[in-house]
Amino acid sequence: MLGNVRGRKSSREKILDAAAELVAEIGAGRLTLDAVAERAGLSKGGLLYNFPSKDALLQAMIQRMIDQVSDAKESLRAQMAPGPNLEARLVATTLLNMCCGGKMQEVATGLMVASAENPRLLDPVRGVISATLEQVKANSDDLDAALLGWLAVEGLSNLEMHNLSPFSDQDRERIVQAINRLLTKGIAK
């Protein structure tokens, strides 16, 4: 990992970890730079050197989440069997593996709330969504199936990410199996 020496976290990583913990606990709206600096064990000046504003810190948190999803997808690419709609299957599997529970869910929800005050915070996410759409379009054997599968996964993962899903574990498994069938077998025409 860049910036790490012998396994130690950089100040930037400590700050992002501390901010993520606080967002998960109290939400992004109540997050203060003083609280992040204290949690990270740094001076406020040290925090401001890395992140000159709360928005800069929130943007870095969003970028880190984007990078984590991208890294997980690329790691999965080496393991996924070739076949139809590979890009859509990669996106679907990555989102379904990462969306549920844990700190990422809490942080994502907190950051979504923060974006209500500053919608531009989500510009990088909009960019990733547009790029993903273009990748899915360019690398699909059955574009209709790929788009429907991707949209279904986005909907399911968003319901789960925000703790709004009405589906039982059995329902979810049925939905995931149907998405996988759609992406591997396509739509009968």
Side-chain angles (χ1 to χ4, degrees), residues 167-185:
F167 301 114
S168 69
D169 290 344
Q170 295 81 11
D171 290 338
R172 183 187 195 276
E173 184 57 33
R174 179 180 295 118
I175 292 166
V176 169
Q177 287 175 5
I179 292 168
N180 287 331
R181 278 192 310 275
L182 178 65
L183 293 176
T184 57
K185 296 181 180 172

Side-chain angles (χ1 to χ4, degrees), residues 81-121:
N85 300 317
L86 178 61
E87 200 64 34
R89 288 187 294 123
L90 283 166
V91 170
T93 303
T94 301
L95 288 175
L96 290 170
N97 287 345
M98 297 186 81
C99 71
C100 308
K103 188 174 285 189
M104 183 173 273
Q105 179 183 24
E106 294 167 346
V107 172
T109 299
L111 293 173
M112 186 66 75
V113 170
S115 72
E117 288 181 26
N118 182 356
R120 290 186 36 214
L121 286 173

Side-chain angles (χ1 to χ4, degrees), residues 110-162:
L111 293 173
M112 186 66 75
V113 170
S115 72
E117 288 181 26
N118 182 356
R120 290 186 36 214
L121 286 173
L122 293 181
D123 285 348
V125 176
R126 288 182 190 89
V128 168
I129 291 170
S130 293
T132 300
L133 175 60
E134 292 309 312
Q135 289 173 335
V136 167
K137 284 180 173 181
N139 297 293
S140 295
D141 301 304
D142 182 337
L143 184 56
D144 292 342
L147 292 175
L148 283 172
W150 179 51
L151 184 59
V153 167
E154 283 289 343
L156 181 60
S157 64
N158 272 292
L159 285 171
E160 291 175 347
M161 185 69 70
H162 301 294

Side-chain angles (χ1 to χ4, degrees), residues 73-88:
K73 182 177 118 182
E74 290 311 310
S75 183
L76 184 60
R77 186 180 300 278
Q79 303 166 25
M80 180 133 331
N85 300 317
L86 178 61
E87 200 64 34

